[in-house]
Amino acid sequence: MQLNVLKNYPLSELTTFKIGGAARFYVKAESTDSVYDSIDFAKQHGVPFYVLGGGSNLLVSDKGYDGVIIHMSNTETETRTDGESVYKTCGAGVVWDNFVSECVNENLFGVECLSGIPGTVGASPVQNIGAYGQSVDNLISEVTALDATTGDIVKFSNADCKFSYRKSFFNSEGFGQYIIVSVKYILKRTGKPNVKYHDLEKYFLKNANITLQEVRTAILKIREYKGMLQMEGFRGFKCAGSFFKNPVVSAAHFDNISDIINAAASARNWYWPIANSSEVKVSAACLIENCFGKGFRTGRVGLSPNHTLAIVNYDDATFDEVMDFAKQIEDTVYERFKVTLDREVQILR
């Protein structure tokens, strides 16, 4: 096939951070064949490649990227019903929230709490995206990927994906080798909306008759209030959503952290014991807020005034300014709590 390769392609407008230089080469990949050909092009020119989805979890260097950007843009979809289960297979380039909206409009249960998450379908298994009591590890039936080393198409079952908190086979052992081209999800035709998360319980005040559309509307309003929404018609910030993951600590370490947090008397719902484990997941936002407070700012970079997990590009900040600010957050949290914050945002340079 004829590959349309663009040179010196600006990347800043392809990310929600709105930061970054140009890519040496850029391909809009609208099919599996174009993905394969893009990889072959990169090999022929002796340069690396990077697979880009919605750019919502990415910070790009101002120096740009000296390789091939493969922009996943395949948007084919297929729906199959089997009793109470509905199987939806989506191309990696499908906008995630469009998929969620479609499911909610069709009154399909299982994905409603993942409304408003930016990015594309192809990224959902990589990060095992989750929010408000739901995550895709409970929805994914199969992932189809291209093996970049062999050119083979490989199908992964749910178990093959090795899902855990914000982690999967695709961002660990398989990182860089497998490019996701489509994902198959299982939705249910009957059920009850998931409103167990504390923000939703507070929003609905334990109303028993809640529709999927009402849950979606609530999620969008909550995410907008927190400044985590990247959708037209809603208020948002130039950021990549949650910059850091919630850390998991031992029970003994948690007790030390708890003493500090409780002494400050400034947090509720900030930790989640892990089932069948002595470990505890702790809110990174709570730790950061305890050190800095919402809206803390240094020059053109700062924390969101609504949610401390979001680092915001307030005024045409540079890549280095964001990285320096992130390190300041990490160093201070470690000094106070002895917790290392892992970055959820991917860095491209």
Side-chain angles (χ1 to χ4, degrees), residues 60-127:
V60 180
S61 168
D62 291 322
K63 295 179 181 179
Y65 181 66
D66 189 22
V68 181
I69 292 292
I70 304 175
H71 195 180
M72 299 300 289
S73 305
N74 55 325
T75 58
E76 302 89 353
T77 60
E78 179 183 296
T79 301
R80 179 175 65 85
T81 300
D82 183 7
E84 290 302 312
S85 297
V86 176
Y87 294 83
K88 284 187 173 288
T89 302
C90 302
V94 171
V95 174
W96 173 258
D97 192 66
N98 289 352
F99 165 66
V100 176
S101 177
E102 176 183 296
C103 292
V104 169
N105 289 338
E106 294 176 10
N107 205 42
L108 298 177
F109 293 79
V111 74
E112 60 275 4
C113 291
L114 302 180
S115 294
I117 294 178
T120 54
V121 159
S124 66
V126 178
Q127 293 291 112

Side-chain angles (χ1 to χ4, degrees), residues 147-212:
D147 187 332
T149 60
T150 65
D152 295 334
I153 295 295
V154 183
K155 293 186 181 296
F156 293 84
S157 68
N158 183 284
D160 293 334
C161 295
K162 298 181 180 180
F163 290 122
S164 59
Y165 173 65
R166 296 296 181 270
K167 189 176 180 181
S168 70
F169 172 79
F170 304 105
N171 63 6
S172 53
E173 306 106 288
F175 179 75
Q177 180 177 353
Y178 295 95
I179 300 174
I180 295 172
V181 294
S182 69
V183 184
K184 182 190 288 185
Y185 302 91
I186 307 176
L187 292 309
K188 296 298 181 181
R189 298 172 66 186
T190 59
K192 291 184 178 180
N194 186 336
V195 291
K196 295 179 181 179
Y197 199 83
H198 60 86
D199 281 354
L200 290 174
E201 287 183 337
K202 181 180 178 181
Y203 185 94
F204 287 111
L205 297 177
K206 298 185 178 180
N207 182 350
N209 300 310
I210 305 166
T211 68
L212 289 177

Side-chain angles (χ1 to χ4, degrees), residues 6 19 23-24 28 43 50 55 95 111 121 127 143 155-156 170 178 321 341:
L6 303 179
I19 292 174
R24 182 175 174 184
K28 186 175 183 179
K43 291 177 179 178
Y50 182 85
V95 174
V111 74
V121 159
Q127 293 291 112
V143 174
K155 293 186 181 296
F156 293 84
F170 304 105
Y178 295 95
E321 286 172 336
L341 292 178

